[in-house]
Amino acid sequence: YVSFITVPLAVGLAVTSLPAATLLAGSDYADSALPLAILAISLGVACLVRSLSQIFVVLGKPVTSATVNISSVAIAIFTGFGVIPFLGITGASMARGFSLILAFLLSALVLRKILQIRVRFDMKAYWSAWLASLIMAGAVLAAQFVFYNKYLLPFYILIGGGVWLLVLRILHSIKEDDLELLSDFLGPRAKFLVGWTSKVLGIKDHKFRSSPSHFSAQNQPT
């Protein structure tokens, strides 16, 4: 679920960074588009790092979690000293993005090697989210190439969202159980939203249940 939410948002922000930056902050901030895109992509790659950090909290290992974060930031700072003098703000964004990805890798390594905890990820969902997001990115970039205007940012967002949903429907990445969980989480007032989503994704015979007892998280990958 983290992948299906964070990855498309991160990739979408990356490919619309130029119209977003110039529309929201002004044309003087056009140079910030590339650093923003780098940070967004880094966030998408390391989107599972927050989930791993919660595992440290559950295990009562806040010091270990802090050590991992401090180590990743320290390494990124030293990296920044090497790239910032040459690349400026772009180098700073690269260093920050590197720290996000490094924190994710170090967290997984510490949990697996030191704490002897088997960490499993739903890689199918992760790669499905990336595949759908990359196809979405291609469609948005093509639209900007044909006709670019910063005031068309909402139009680009609609194109990206539509393509993303279409690819998810083709890949059958979202299952009925996922929508049932979403229905339980949002409550009866958002029943129409779940019903619309089920039609868009081509999920038939979806039942909206008011009780979350039908969903079991047992043996689900982290």
Side-chain angles (χ1 to χ4, degrees), residues 30-213:
D31 292 340
S32 66
L34 180 57
L36 178 60
I38 293 174
L39 287 175
I41 293 298
S42 301
L43 177 62
V45 173
C47 64
L48 301 177
V49 67
R50 297 303 176 190
S51 300
L52 292 181
S53 64
Q54 296 304 315
I55 296 179
F56 287 108
V57 175
V58 172
L59 295 175
K61 301 287 186 180
V63 176
T64 304
S65 178
T67 302
V68 169
N69 291 327
I70 292 173
S71 300
S72 62
V73 171
I75 295 174
I77 289 175
F78 284 109
T79 303
F81 285 142
V83 296
I84 291 178
F86 302 98
L87 300 177
I89 188 174
T90 301
S93 64
M94 292 174 61
R96 175 54 181 161
F98 178 66
S99 71
L100 292 174
I101 297 174
L102 188 60
F104 169 67
L105 296 176
L106 287 177
S107 296
L109 182 63
V110 168
L111 286 171
R112 187 170 183 177
K113 296 296 184 180
I114 299 179
L115 301 181
Q116 299 297 315
I117 295 177
R118 183 182 179 186
V119 181
R120 296 186 301 121
F121 300 101
D122 189 347
M123 298 308 298
K124 182 179 179 180
Y126 182 76
W127 291 119
S128 295
W130 268 103
L131 177 59
S133 299
L134 290 176
I135 295 176
M136 171 197 72
V140 174
L141 290 175
Q144 293 184 62
F145 179 78
V146 173
F147 190 77
Y148 174 80
N149 191 307
K150 64 181 181 181
Y151 296 106
L152 291 178
L153 177 61
F155 176 68
Y156 301 143
I157 294 175
L158 288 177
I159 291 179
V163 172
W164 182 70
L165 290 174
L166 177 62
V167 176
L168 288 184
R169 176 169 180 162
I170 295 174
L171 296 176
H172 301 288
S173 300
I174 305 296
K175 306 299 183 182
E176 183 178 348
D177 288 344
D178 300 321
L179 289 184
E180 289 177 354
L181 177 63
L182 179 63
S183 177
D184 291 333
F185 179 76
L186 296 178
R189 293 185 179 181
K191 183 178 180 180
F192 74 95
L193 177 61
V194 181
W196 178 85
T197 304
S198 121
K199 292 179 180 179
V200 170
L201 296 177
I203 301 177
K204 299 179 180 179
D205 299 325
H206 175 67
K207 299 178 181 179
F208 306 104
R209 306 175 187 177
S210 59
S211 173
S213 59

